[in-house]
Coordinates of all heavy atoms in Angstrom, one line a residue:
M1 N 8.3 -1.2 6.7 CA 8.2 0.1 6.1 C 8.9 0.1 4.7 O 9.9 -0.5 4.5 CB 8.9 1.1 7.0 CG 8.1 1.5 8.2 SD 8.9 3.0 8.9 CE 8.9 2.5 10.6
L2 N 8.3 0.9 3.9 CA 8.8 1.1 2.5 C 9.1 2.5 2.3 O 8.2 3.4 2.6 CB 7.9 0.6 1.5 CG 7.5 -0.9 1.5 CD1 6.4 -1.2 0.4 CD2 8.7 -1.7 1.2
Y3 N 10.2 2.8 1.8 CA 10.6 4.2 1.5 C 11.2 4.2 0.1 O 11.9 3.2 -0.3 CB 11.6 4.8 2.5 CG 11.0 5.0 3.8 CD1 11.2 4.1 4.8 CD2 10.3 6.2 4.1 CE1 10.7 4.3 6.1 CE2 9.8 6.4 5.3 CZ 10.0 5.5 6.3 OH 9.4 5.7 7.6
L4 N 11.0 5.2 -0.6 CA 11.6 5.3 -2.0 C 12.4 6.6 -2.0 O 12.0 7.6 -1.6 CB 10.5 5.3 -3.0 CG 11.0 5.2 -4.5 CD1 11.8 4.0 -4.7 CD2 9.8 5.3 -5.4
N5 N 13.6 6.5 -2.5 CA 14.5 7.7 -2.7 C 13.7 8.7 -3.6 O 13.2 8.4 -4.6 CB 15.8 7.3 -3.4 CG 16.7 8.5 -3.6 OD1 16.3 9.6 -3.7 ND2 18.0 8.1 -3.5
P6 N 13.5 9.9 -3.1 CA 12.7 10.9 -3.8 C 13.2 11.1 -5.2 O 12.4 11.4 -6.1 CB 12.9 12.2 -3.0 CG 13.2 11.7 -1.6 CD 14.0 10.4 -1.8
S7 N 14.5 10.9 -5.5 CA 15.0 11.1 -6.9 C 14.5 10.0 -7.8 O 14.6 10.1 -9.0 CB 16.5 11.2 -6.9 OG 17.1 9.9 -6.5
R8 N 14.0 8.9 -7.3 CA 13.5 7.8 -8.1 C 12.0 7.7 -8.2 O 11.4 6.8 -8.8 CB 14.0 6.5 -7.5 CG 15.5 6.3 -7.4 CD 16.2 6.4 -8.7 NE 15.8 5.4 -9.7 CZ 16.3 4.2 -9.9 NH1 17.4 3.9 -9.1 NH2 15.9 3.4 -10.8
R9 N 11.3 8.7 -7.6 CA 9.8 8.7 -7.7 C 9.4 8.9 -9.2 O 10.1 9.5 -10.0 CB 9.3 9.9 -6.9 CG 9.3 9.5 -5.4 CD 8.4 10.4 -4.6 NE 8.4 9.9 -3.2 CZ 8.7 10.6 -2.2 NH1 9.0 11.9 -2.3 NH2 8.6 10.1 -1.0
G10 N 8.2 8.4 -9.5 CA 7.7 8.5 -10.8 C 8.2 7.5 -11.8 O 7.8 7.5 -13.0
E11 N 9.0 6.5 -11.3 CA 9.5 5.4 -12.2 C 8.7 4.1 -12.1 O 9.0 3.2 -12.8 CB 11.0 5.2 -11.9 CG 11.9 6.4 -12.1 CD 13.3 6.1 -11.8 OE1 13.7 4.9 -11.8 OE2 14.0 7.0 -11.4
G12 N 7.7 4.1 -11.2 CA 6.9 2.9 -11.1 C 7.5 1.9 -10.1 O 6.9 0.8 -9.9
I13 N 8.6 2.3 -9.4 CA 9.2 1.4 -8.4 C 8.3 1.1 -7.3 O 8.1 -0.1 -6.9 CB 10.5 2.0 -8.0 CG1 11.5 2.1 -9.1 CG2 11.1 1.1 -6.9 CD1 12.7 2.9 -8.8
G14 N 7.6 2.1 -6.7 CA 6.7 1.9 -5.6 C 5.6 1.0 -6.0 O 5.2 0.1 -5.2
T15 N 5.0 1.2 -7.1 CA 3.9 0.4 -7.6 C 4.4 -1.1 -7.8 O 3.7 -2.0 -7.4 CB 3.4 0.9 -8.9 OG1 2.9 2.3 -8.7 CG2 2.3 0.1 -9.5
M16 N 5.6 -1.3 -8.3 CA 6.1 -2.6 -8.5 C 6.3 -3.3 -7.1 O 6.0 -4.5 -6.9 CB 7.4 -2.6 -9.3 CG 7.1 -2.4 -10.8 SD 8.6 -2.5 -11.8 CE 9.5 -1.1 -11.4
L17 N 6.9 -2.5 -6.1 CA 7.1 -3.1 -4.8 C 5.8 -3.5 -4.2 O 5.6 -4.6 -3.6 CB 7.8 -2.1 -3.9 CG 9.3 -1.9 -4.1 CD1 9.8 -0.7 -3.4 CD2 10.0 -3.2 -3.7
L18 N 4.8 -2.6 -4.2 CA 3.5 -2.9 -3.6 C 2.8 -4.1 -4.3 O 2.3 -5.0 -3.7 CB 2.5 -1.7 -3.7 CG 1.1 -1.9 -3.2 CD1 1.2 -2.2 -1.7 CD2 0.3 -0.6 -3.4
H19 N 3.0 -4.2 -5.6 CA 2.4 -5.3 -6.4 C 3.1 -6.6 -5.9 O 2.4 -7.6 -5.7 CB 2.7 -5.1 -7.9 CG 2.2 -6.2 -8.8 ND1 0.9 -6.3 -9.3 CD2 2.8 -7.4 -9.2 CE1 0.8 -7.4 -10.0 NE2 1.9 -8.1 -9.9
A20 N 4.4 -6.6 -5.8 CA 5.1 -7.9 -5.4 C 4.7 -8.3 -3.9 O 4.5 -9.5 -3.7 CB 6.6 -7.6 -5.5
I21 N 4.6 -7.3 -3.1 CA 4.2 -7.6 -1.7 C 2.8 -8.1 -1.7 O 2.5 -9.1 -1.0 CB 4.3 -6.3 -0.8 CG1 5.8 -6.0 -0.6 CG2 3.6 -6.5 0.5 CD1 6.1 -4.6 -0.1
T22 N 1.9 -7.5 -2.4 CA 0.5 -7.9 -2.5 C 0.4 -9.4 -3.0 O -0.3 -10.2 -2.5 CB -0.3 -7.0 -3.3 OG1 -0.2 -5.7 -2.8 CG2 -1.8 -7.4 -3.4
E23 N 1.1 -9.6 -4.1 CA 1.1 -11.0 -4.7 C 1.5 -12.0 -3.6 O 0.9 -13.1 -3.5 CB 2.0 -11.0 -5.9 CG 2.0 -12.3 -6.6 CD 2.9 -12.3 -7.8 OE1 3.8 -11.5 -8.0 OE2 2.6 -13.2 -8.7
R24 N 2.6 -11.7 -2.9 CA 3.1 -12.7 -1.9 C 2.1 -12.9 -0.8 O 1.8 -14.0 -0.3 CB 4.4 -12.2 -1.3 CG 5.0 -13.0 -0.3 CD 5.5 -14.3 -0.8 NE 6.2 -14.9 0.3 CZ 6.6 -16.2 0.2 NH1 6.5 -16.9 -0.8 NH2 7.2 -16.7 1.3
Q25 N 1.4 -11.8 -0.3 CA 0.5 -11.9 0.7 C -0.8 -12.7 0.3 O -1.3 -13.5 1.1 CB 0.0 -10.5 1.2 CG 1.2 -9.8 2.0 CD 0.8 -8.3 2.3 OE1 0.0 -7.7 1.6 NE2 1.3 -7.9 3.4
I26 N -1.2 -12.5 -0.9 CA -2.3 -13.3 -1.5 C -2.0 -14.7 -1.5 O -2.8 -15.6 -1.1 CB -2.8 -12.7 -2.8 CG1 -3.4 -11.4 -2.7 CG2 -3.7 -13.7 -3.5 CD1 -3.7 -10.7 -4.0
E27 N -0.8 -15.1 -1.9 CA -0.3 -16.5 -1.9 C -0.4 -17.1 -0.6 O -0.6 -18.3 -0.4 CB 1.1 -16.5 -2.5 CG 1.2 -16.3 -4.0 CD 2.7 -16.2 -4.5 OE1 3.6 -16.2 -3.6 OE2 2.9 -16.0 -5.7
Q28 N -0.2 -16.3 0.5 CA -0.2 -16.7 1.8 C -1.6 -16.6 2.5 O -1.7 -16.8 3.7 CB 0.9 -16.0 2.6 CG 2.3 -16.3 2.2 CD 3.4 -15.6 3.0 OE1 3.1 -14.8 3.9 NE2 4.6 -15.9 2.7
G29 N -2.6 -16.2 1.7 CA -3.9 -16.2 2.2 C -4.5 -14.9 2.7 O -5.6 -14.9 3.3
A30 N -3.8 -13.8 2.5 CA -4.3 -12.5 3.0 C -5.4 -12.1 2.2 O -5.5 -12.4 1.0 CB -3.2 -11.5 2.9
I31 N -6.4 -11.4 2.8 CA -7.6 -10.9 2.1 C -7.7 -9.4 2.2 O -8.5 -8.8 1.6 CB -8.8 -11.6 2.6 CG1 -9.1 -11.4 4.1 CG2 -8.8 -13.0 2.2 CD1 -10.4 -11.8 4.6
E32 N -6.8 -8.8 3.0 CA -6.8 -7.3 3.2 C -5.4 -6.8 3.5 O -4.6 -7.6 4.0 CB -7.8 -6.8 4.2 CG -7.5 -7.3 5.6 CD -8.5 -6.8 6.6 OE1 -9.6 -6.4 6.3 OE2 -8.2 -6.9 7.8
Q33 N -5.2 -5.6 3.2 CA -3.9 -4.9 3.6 C -4.2 -3.7 4.4 O -5.2 -3.0 4.1 CB -3.1 -4.5 2.3 CG -2.6 -5.7 1.5 CD -1.9 -5.2 0.3 OE1 -2.4 -4.4 -0.5 NE2 -0.7 -5.8 0.0
W34 N -3.3 -3.3 5.3 CA -3.3 -2.1 6.1 C -2.0 -1.4 5.9 O -1.0 -2.1 5.9 CB -3.6 -2.4 7.5 CG -5.0 -2.9 7.8 CD1 -5.5 -4.1 7.6 CD2 -6.0 -2.1 8.4 NE1 -6.8 -4.1 8.0 CE2 -7.2 -2.9 8.5 CE3 -6.1 -0.7 8.8 CZ2 -8.4 -2.4 9.0 CZ3 -7.3 -0.3 9.3 CH2 -8.4 -1.1 9.4
V35 N -2.1 -0.1 5.8 CA -0.8 0.7 5.8 C -1.0 1.9 6.7 O -2.2 2.4 6.9 CB -0.4 1.2 4.4 CG1 -0.1 0.1 3.5 CG2 -1.5 2.1 3.8
S36 N 0.0 2.4 7.3 CA 0.0 3.6 8.1 C 0.8 4.7 7.3 O 1.9 4.4 6.8 CB 0.7 3.4 9.4 OG -0.1 2.5 10.2
V37 N 0.3 5.9 7.2 CA 0.9 7.0 6.5 C 1.0 8.2 7.4 O 0.0 8.5 8.1 CB 0.2 7.3 5.2 CG1 0.9 8.4 4.4 CG2 0.0 6.1 4.3
M38 N 2.1 8.8 7.4 CA 2.2 10.0 8.3 C 1.2 11.1 7.8 O 1.2 11.3 6.6 CB 3.6 10.6 8.3 CG 4.6 9.6 8.9 SD 4.4 9.4 10.7 CE 4.7 11.0 11.3
K39 N 0.5 11.8 8.7 CA -0.3 12.9 8.3 C 0.6 13.9 7.6 O 1.7 14.2 7.9 CB -0.9 13.5 9.5 CG -2.0 12.7 10.2 CD -2.6 13.4 11.3 CE -3.6 12.6 12.1 NZ -4.1 13.3 13.2
G40 N 0.0 14.5 6.5 CA 0.7 15.5 5.7 C 1.7 14.9 4.7 O 2.3 15.7 4.0
N41 N 1.8 13.6 4.6 CA 2.7 13.0 3.6 C 2.0 13.1 2.2 O 1.2 12.3 1.8 CB 2.9 11.5 3.9 CG 3.9 10.8 3.0 OD1 4.0 11.3 1.8 ND2 4.5 9.7 3.4
Q42 N 2.3 14.2 1.5 CA 1.7 14.5 0.3 C 2.1 13.6 -0.9 O 1.7 13.8 -2.0 CB 1.8 16.0 -0.1 CG 1.1 16.8 1.0 CD -0.3 16.5 1.2 OE1 -1.1 16.3 0.2 NE2 -0.7 16.3 2.4
K43 N 3.0 12.7 -0.7 CA 3.4 11.7 -1.7 C 2.7 10.4 -1.4 O 2.2 9.7 -2.3 CB 4.9 11.6 -1.8 CG 5.7 12.8 -2.2 CD 5.4 13.2 -3.6 CE 6.2 14.4 -3.9 NZ 6.0 14.9 -5.3
G44 N 2.9 9.9 -0.1 CA 2.3 8.6 0.3 C 0.8 8.5 0.3 O 0.3 7.5 -0.2
I45 N 0.1 9.5 0.8 CA -1.3 9.5 0.8 C -1.9 9.3 -0.5 O -2.7 8.4 -0.8 CB -1.9 10.7 1.6 CG1 -1.5 10.6 3.1 CG2 -3.4 10.8 1.4 CD1 -1.7 11.9 3.9
P46 N -1.6 10.2 -1.5 CA -2.2 10.0 -2.9 C -1.8 8.6 -3.5 O -2.6 8.0 -4.2 CB -1.7 11.1 -3.7 CG -1.2 12.1 -2.7 CD -0.8 11.4 -1.5
F47 N -0.6 8.2 -3.2 CA -0.1 6.9 -3.8 C -1.0 5.8 -3.3 O -1.5 5.0 -4.2 CB 1.3 6.6 -3.3 CG 1.8 5.3 -3.7 CD1 2.4 5.0 -5.0 CD2 1.8 4.2 -2.8 CE1 2.8 3.8 -5.3 CE2 2.3 2.9 -3.2 CZ 2.8 2.7 -4.4
Y48 N -1.3 5.7 -2.0 CA -2.1 4.6 -1.5 C -3.6 4.7 -1.9 O -4.2 3.8 -2.3 CB -1.9 4.4 0.0 CG -0.6 3.8 0.3 CD1 0.4 4.6 1.0 CD2 -0.3 2.5 0.0 CE1 1.6 4.1 1.3 CE2 1.0 2.0 0.3 CZ 1.9 2.8 1.0 OH 3.1 2.3 1.2
E49 N -4.1 6.0 -1.9 CA -5.5 6.2 -2.2 C -5.7 5.8 -3.7 O -6.7 5.2 -4.0 CB -5.9 7.6 -2.0 CG -6.0 7.9 -0.5 CD -6.4 9.3 -0.1 OE1 -6.4 10.2 -1.1 OE2 -6.7 9.6 1.0
A50 N -4.7 6.1 -4.6 CA -4.9 5.8 -6.0 C -4.9 4.3 -6.2 O -5.3 3.8 -7.3 CB -3.8 6.4 -6.8
R51 N -4.4 3.5 -5.3 CA -4.3 2.1 -5.4 C -5.4 1.4 -4.6 O -5.3 0.2 -4.3 CB -2.9 1.6 -5.0 CG -2.0 1.9 -6.2 CD -0.5 2.2 -5.8 NE 0.2 2.7 -7.0 CZ 0.3 4.0 -7.4 NH1 -0.4 4.9 -6.7 NH2 1.0 4.3 -8.4
G52 N -6.4 2.1 -4.2 CA -7.6 1.5 -3.6 C -7.6 1.5 -2.1 O -8.5 0.9 -1.5
F53 N -6.6 2.0 -1.4 CA -6.6 2.1 0.0 C -7.6 3.2 0.5 O -7.7 4.2 -0.1 CB -5.3 2.4 0.6 CG -4.3 1.2 0.5 CD1 -3.6 0.9 -0.6 CD2 -4.2 0.3 1.6 CE1 -2.7 -0.1 -0.7 CE2 -3.3 -0.7 1.6 CZ -2.6 -1.0 0.4
V54 N -8.4 2.9 1.5 CA -9.4 3.8 2.0 C -9.1 4.1 3.5 O -8.8 3.2 4.3 CB -10.8 3.1 1.9 CG1 -11.9 4.1 2.5 CG2 -11.1 2.8 0.5
Q55 N -9.1 5.4 3.8 CA -8.8 5.8 5.1 C -9.8 5.2 6.1 O -11.0 5.2 5.9 CB -8.9 7.4 5.2 CG -8.5 7.9 6.6 CD -8.5 9.4 6.7 OE1 -8.3 10.1 5.7 NE2 -8.7 9.9 7.9
Q56 N -9.2 4.7 7.3 CA -10.0 4.1 8.3 C -10.0 4.9 9.6 O -11.0 5.2 10.1 CB -9.5 2.7 8.6 CG -9.5 1.7 7.4 CD -10.9 1.5 6.8 OE1 -11.8 1.1 7.6 NE2 -11.1 1.8 5.6
I57 N -8.8 5.2 10.1 CA -8.7 5.9 11.4 C -7.4 6.8 11.3 O -6.5 6.6 10.6 CB -8.6 5.0 12.6 CG1 -7.4 4.0 12.4 CG2 -9.9 4.2 12.8 CD1 -7.2 3.1 13.6
E58 N -7.5 7.8 12.2 CA -6.3 8.7 12.4 C -5.9 8.5 13.9 O -6.7 8.5 14.8 CB -6.6 10.1 12.2 CG -6.9 10.5 10.8 CD -7.1 12.0 10.5 OE1 -6.5 12.8 11.3 OE2 -7.8 12.3 9.6
V59 N -4.6 8.2 14.1 CA -4.1 8.0 15.4 C -2.8 8.8 15.5 O -1.9 8.6 14.8 CB -3.7 6.5 15.7 CG1 -3.2 6.3 17.1 CG2 -5.0 5.7 15.5
D60 N -2.8 9.8 16.4 CA -1.7 10.7 16.7 C -1.2 11.3 15.3 O -2.0 12.1 14.7 CB -0.5 10.0 17.4 CG -0.9 9.5 18.7 OD1 -1.7 10.2 19.4 OD2 -0.5 8.4 19.1
L61 N -0.1 10.9 14.8 CA 0.5 11.5 13.6 C 0.3 10.7 12.4 O 0.9 11.0 11.3 CB 2.0 11.8 13.8 CG 2.3 12.8 15.0 CD1 3.8 12.9 15.1 CD2 1.7 14.2 14.8
T62 N -0.4 9.6 12.5 CA -0.6 8.7 11.4 C -2.0 8.5 11.0 O -3.0 8.7 11.7 CB 0.0 7.3 11.6 OG1 -0.7 6.7 12.7 CG2 1.5 7.4 11.9
I63 N -2.2 8.1 9.7 CA -3.5 7.8 9.2 C -3.4 6.3 8.7 O -2.5 5.9 8.1 CB -3.9 8.6 7.9 CG1 -3.8 10.1 8.3 CG2 -5.3 8.2 7.4 CD1 -4.0 11.0 7.1
R64 N -4.4 5.5 9.2 CA -4.4 4.1 8.8 C -5.4 3.9 7.6 O -6.5 4.4 7.6 CB -4.9 3.3 10.0 CG -4.0 3.4 11.2 CD -2.9 2.4 11.2 NE -3.5 1.0 11.3 CZ -2.8 -0.1 11.0 NH1 -1.6 0.0 10.6 NH2 -3.4 -1.2 11.0
Y65 N -4.8 3.2 6.6 CA -5.6 2.9 5.4 C -5.7 1.4 5.3 O -4.9 0.6 5.7 CB -4.9 3.4 4.2 CG -4.9 4.9 4.0 CD1 -4.0 5.8 4.6 CD2 -5.9 5.5 3.2 CE1 -4.1 7.1 4.5 CE2 -6.0 6.9 3.0 CZ -5.1 7.7 3.6 OH -5.1 9.0 3.5
R66 N -6.8 1.0 4.6 CA -7.1 -0.4 4.4 C -7.6 -0.6 3.0 O -8.2 0.2 2.4 CB -8.2 -0.9 5.3 CG -8.6 -2.3 5.1 CD -10.0 -2.6 5.8 NE -10.4 -3.9 5.5 CZ -11.0 -4.2 4.3 NH1 -11.3 -3.3 3.4 NH2 -11.4 -5.5 4.1
R67 N -7.2 -1.8 2.4 CA -7.8 -2.2 1.1 C -8.1 -3.7 1.1 O -7.3 -4.5 1.7 CB -7.0 -1.8 -0.1 CG -5.8 -2.6 -0.4 CD -5.2 -2.2 -1.8 NE -4.0 -2.9 -2.0 CZ -3.3 -2.8 -3.2 NH1 -3.7 -2.1 -4.1 NH2 -2.2 -3.5 -3.3
D68 N -9.1 -4.1 0.4 CA -9.5 -5.5 0.2 C -8.7 -6.0 -0.9 O -8.6 -5.4 -2.0 CB -11.0 -5.5 -0.1 CG -11.5 -6.9 -0.4 OD1 -10.8 -7.9 -0.1 OD2 -12.7 -7.0 -0.9
I69 N -8.0 -7.1 -0.7 CA -7.3 -7.8 -1.8 C -7.8 -9.2 -2.1 O -7.2 -9.9 -2.9 CB -5.8 -7.8 -1.5 CG1 -5.5 -8.6 -0.2 CG2 -5.2 -6.4 -1.4 CD1 -4.0 -8.9 0.1
S70 N -9.0 -9.5 -1.6 CA -9.5 -10.8 -1.8 C -9.9 -11.1 -3.2 O -10.0 -12.2 -3.7 CB -10.7 -11.0 -0.9 OG -11.8 -10.1 -1.2
Y71 N -10.2 -10.0 -4.0 CA -10.6 -10.2 -5.3 C -9.5 -10.2 -6.3 O -9.6 -10.4 -7.5 CB -11.6 -9.1 -5.7 CG -11.0 -7.7 -5.7 CD1 -10.4 -7.2 -6.8 CD2 -10.9 -7.0 -4.5 CE1 -9.8 -5.9 -6.7 CE2 -10.3 -5.8 -4.4 CZ -9.7 -5.2 -5.6 OH -9.1 -4.0 -5.5
M72 N -8.3 -9.8 -5.9 CA -7.1 -9.6 -6.8 C -6.6 -11.0 -7.2 O -6.5 -11.9 -6.4 CB -6.0 -8.8 -6.1 CG -6.4 -7.4 -5.8 SD -5.0 -6.5 -5.1 CE -5.7 -4.9 -5.1
S73 N -6.1 -11.0 -8.4 CA -5.5 -12.2 -9.0 C -4.3 -11.8 -9.8 O -4.3 -10.8 -10.5 CB -6.4 -13.0 -9.9 OG -5.8 -14.0 -10.5
F74 N -3.2 -12.5 -9.7 CA -2.0 -12.2 -10.4 C -1.7 -13.2 -11.5 O -0.5 -13.3 -12.0 CB -0.8 -12.0 -9.5 CG -1.0 -10.8 -8.6 CD1 -1.5 -10.8 -7.4 CD2 -0.6 -9.5 -9.1 CE1 -1.7 -9.7 -6.6 CE2 -0.8 -8.4 -8.3 CZ -1.3 -8.5 -7.1
G75 N -2.6 -14.0 -11.8 CA -2.4 -15.0 -13.0 C -1.6 -16.2 -12.7 O -1.2 -16.9 -13.6
R76 N -1.2 -16.4 -11.4 CA -0.4 -17.6 -11.1 C -1.4 -18.7 -10.8 O -2.5 -18.5 -10.3 CB 0.5 -17.3 -9.9 CG 1.6 -16.4 -10.2 CD 2.6 -16.5 -9.2 NE 3.8 -15.7 -9.6 CZ 4.8 -15.6 -8.9 NH1 5.0 -16.2 -7.7 NH2 5.8 -14.8 -9.3
Q77 N -0.9 -19.9 -11.0 CA -1.7 -21.1 -10.8 C -1.0 -22.0 -9.8 O 0.1 -22.1 -9.7 CB -2.1 -21.8 -12.1 CG -2.9 -20.9 -12.9 CD -3.2 -21.5 -14.3 OE1 -2.8 -22.7 -14.5 NE2 -3.9 -20.8 -15.1

């Protein structure tokens, strides 16, 4: 789970964390990512949707999102 102190929002920290995690997962052969977001999370939902995650299913109090990362490249060789 990733959480960001609300007072630090808007500084790009969440985006940098997601980028670093994605880069590592790609290095290890991942081709997709899944995240769970609490229903009504008006910060988390737009964050993930803006970064290409697409809603897949709703289960109880959470929404599951997925994105394809097979096409992403971070310039490492």
Side-chain angles (χ1 to χ4, degrees):
M1 280 193 227
L2 297 175
Y3 292 96
L4 187 60
N5 185 325
S7 69
R8 301 299 304 267
R9 285 198 173 125
E11 297 179 28
I13 298 168
T15 300
M16 288 187 286
L17 284 170
L18 181 60
H19 179 91
I21 291 166
T22 302
E23 183 176 23
R24 178 71 175 170
Q25 289 176 329
I26 289 170
E27 289 171 356
Q28 294 181 355
I31 58 170
E32 66 182 10
Q33 290 176 313
W34 286 79
V35 296
S36 295
V37 183
M38 296 294 295
K39 289 181 184 177
N41 182 339
Q42 296 306 310
K43 300 290 185 182
I45 292 170
F47 174 84
Y48 288 112
E49 288 179 349
R51 284 149 187 87
F53 285 86
V54 177
Q55 182 176 336
Q56 302 296 306
I57 56 173
E58 291 187 29
V59 179
D60 298 322
L61 299 176
T62 62
I63 304 170
R64 299 271 296 161
Y65 286 85
R66 177 197 171 279
R67 79 170 174 175
D68 178 12
I69 59 173
S70 63
Y71 64 92
M72 294 183 175
S73 173
F74 291 94
R76 288 197 177 181
Q77 298 178 358

